[in-house]
Amino acid sequence: MKKILYFAALLLTMTFATSCEKEEIGGTATEALAGDWYVTIDAADENGNVVEGLEDPFGLGRIHVATFNTAANTADKLYVTDFGDFWGFKVRTNSDVNALTFSTAGAVANESYDCNVTITDGKILPKAGKQNNGSAADSIVFYVSFDDDPYPAAYGYAKYKVSGVRYSGLEEND
C-alpha cells in the first residue's frame, strides 16, 4: 500500500511539474524591424540633406511612428504608420529583415485617404541612437514624400527626412 501511495504522489508531482513548463513564444517575421519610434520630421533635398531653416517645418516636435508586421507575417512586408500625427499614412512597404531596410513606391496612404506615399532608404540602425537619458537605442531613418503635398515645390525641398529612436517605455525618455 505504501508503494502505491508513493507512486501516486510521484506521478502527481510529475504531472504538476510538466504542466507548469512554459512554452517558448516566437516573434514575428519582421521582429528586427518592428517597433514604436519617437521621430522628428525635417525637409530634405534630393540627396537627403536637411534643408537649412526647414528643420521641423510644421513645428510638430517629436511624434510617434510605428513599424509592424502584416497579417501574413512575412519577412518581406512591413507596415509603417504615423498614426495621423503627420500626414495620416499607414502603408505597406517592402522589407529586408537581414539588411534591416524597408521602402515602397506609390503606396496608397490608407483606406480612407487617397494619396500615394513613397518611402525610400528606410533603415533600422541597432544602438546608433541616444535616448534623452543618454542610453543607447536603436535608431530609425527614412525619407517620405506624398503626391498631394504642395510644400516641397513652394519651399524648395524634395521630401521629408524622418529620423529618431525606439520608444524605451521610460518616462524620462518621452
Side-chain angles (χ1 to χ4, degrees):
M1 185 66 169
K2 273 185 167 179
K3 286 183 181 179
I4 293 174
L5 289 175
Y6 174 75
F7 284 120
L10 182 63
L11 182 61
L12 189 59
T13 302
M14 289 175 60
T15 302
F16 281 127
T18 306
S19 67
C20 291
E21 289 181 16
K22 293 183 179 180
E23 291 185 36
E24 290 295 319
I25 299 172
T28 65
T30 59
E31 183 175 4
L33 295 168
D36 287 315
W37 309 90
Y38 277 129
V39 300
T40 56
I41 299 168
D42 300 310
D45 64 19
E46 278 294 330
N47 297 322
N49 300 313
V50 174
V51 177
E52 189 174 331
L54 291 175
E55 300 87 358
D56 192 12
F58 301 108
L60 300 173
R62 291 186 349 152
I63 67 164
H64 182 210
V65 168
T67 54
F68 53 96
N69 65 297
T70 65
N73 194 28
T74 59
D76 64 340
K77 299 291 182 210
L78 176 79
Y79 274 113
V80 179
T81 183
D82 70 351
F83 297 104
D85 292 340
F86 173 48
W87 214 262
F89 68 90
K90 176 184 172 188
V91 294
R92 188 169 62 175
T93 67
N94 298 313
S95 61
D96 182 339
V97 174
N98 295 323
L100 298 176
T101 60
F102 58 95
S103 65
T104 191
V108 176
N110 61 45
E111 295 170 3
S112 62
Y113 176 42
D114 191 21
C115 163
N116 289 324
V117 179
T118 299
I119 292 177
T120 59
D121 301 313
K123 298 176 197 161
I124 306 299
L125 306 163
K127 305 293 184 210
K130 284 224 184 280
Q131 295 286 358
N132 288 341
N133 68 2
S135 62
D138 292 347
S139 178
I140 187 171
V141 64
F142 62 93
Y143 297 90
V144 63
S145 60
F146 309 95
D147 73 348
D148 68 343
D149 183 1
Y151 299 110
Y155 295 98
Y157 59 93
K159 53 193 169 185
Y160 299 99
K161 180 181 181 181
V162 180
S163 58
V165 294
R166 187 180 298 275
Y167 171 69
S168 71
L170 298 175
E171 189 175 326
E172 63 197 47
N173 291 327
D174 288 348

